[in-house]
Amino acid sequence: MSDLDTPTKPLSHLSSEALALRRALGAAGTGRDLRTLAGWITDAQDLSRSALDILLDHTPARSHTTAEELLSLERLAQIAKAAQDAGAELTAALARAVENQRRCAAASSGRVVVIGPSPQQLIASAVDLLGRIPALCHAIHRDRLVPPTHHAHRPR
């Protein structure tokens, strides 16, 4: 990935989308419905797909890849993973929410005991994962502007 090939617009869009989803998850409070959760899952999956598309578009066709190019590709892979992991957490929240509703409907008493993390805890985990994406996008931009030096010590 040369300096000219840095995916500035796609990364900015990806970062904005991650922040928007993160804000939506954080602002939703406890009144989450199943449709909303399902929508958030597809949004997280779309983020992952976008990161993978950027990675594929910017993977060099040649066999030799520079250290800087590999670092950018690694960060793109981390972005895709963070989005996929967020989607997995949201899917677990959806499954737990449905399970909780089923238990409440089937309970003969008013009390239902739920074991494991709550949907809110799983959503909070997704929020944390989505928070990594803008930082990784920024790191890719920063690395393209100021490539790391190959020398540990500079001459005096």
Side-chain angles (χ1 to χ4, degrees):
M1 202 180 316
S2 72
D3 288 341
L4 297 175
D5 292 338
T6 301
T8 303
K9 284 185 181 180
L11 284 174
S12 294
H13 180 52
L14 191 65
S15 181
S16 296
E17 291 296 316
L19 285 171
L21 179 55
R22 189 171 192 252
R23 275 192 296 275
L25 291 170
T30 57
R32 295 175 180 92
D33 65 272
L34 301 180
R35 284 185 175 275
T36 302
L37 274 170
W40 290 337
I41 293 165
T42 58
D43 290 346
Q45 290 170 342
D46 290 344
L47 281 172
S48 180
R49 176 59 191 233
S50 294
L52 291 172
D53 286 343
I54 296 168
L55 185 140
L56 289 172
D57 289 345
H58 291 86
T59 299
R62 62 189 188 281
S63 61
H64 177 70
T65 307
T66 68
E68 290 82 11
E69 289 169 334
L70 289 172
L71 181 59
S72 291
L73 294 174
E74 177 187 1
R75 289 198 169 131
L76 284 167
Q78 290 173 353
I79 290 168
K81 183 180 183 318
Q84 283 183 341
D85 290 349
E89 291 293 300
L90 294 171
T91 302
L94 176 66
R96 181 56 51 93
V98 171
E99 176 187 359
N100 290 350
Q101 287 181 3
R102 182 188 53 78
R103 285 180 175 208
C104 287
S108 57
S109 69
R111 294 190 51 121
V112 175
V113 176
V114 180
I115 300 170
S118 68
Q120 293 79 14
Q121 290 169 314
L122 294 164
I123 292 169
S125 176
V127 167
D128 290 341
L129 289 161
L130 291 168
R132 296 178 187 170
I133 293 173
L136 288 165
C137 290
H138 177 73
I140 293 170
H141 287 298
R142 183 191 65 231
D143 291 345
R144 302 316 298 160
L145 296 174
V146 184
T149 60
H150 295 287
H151 303 288
H153 302 297
R154 290 186 176 181
R156 293 182 184 190

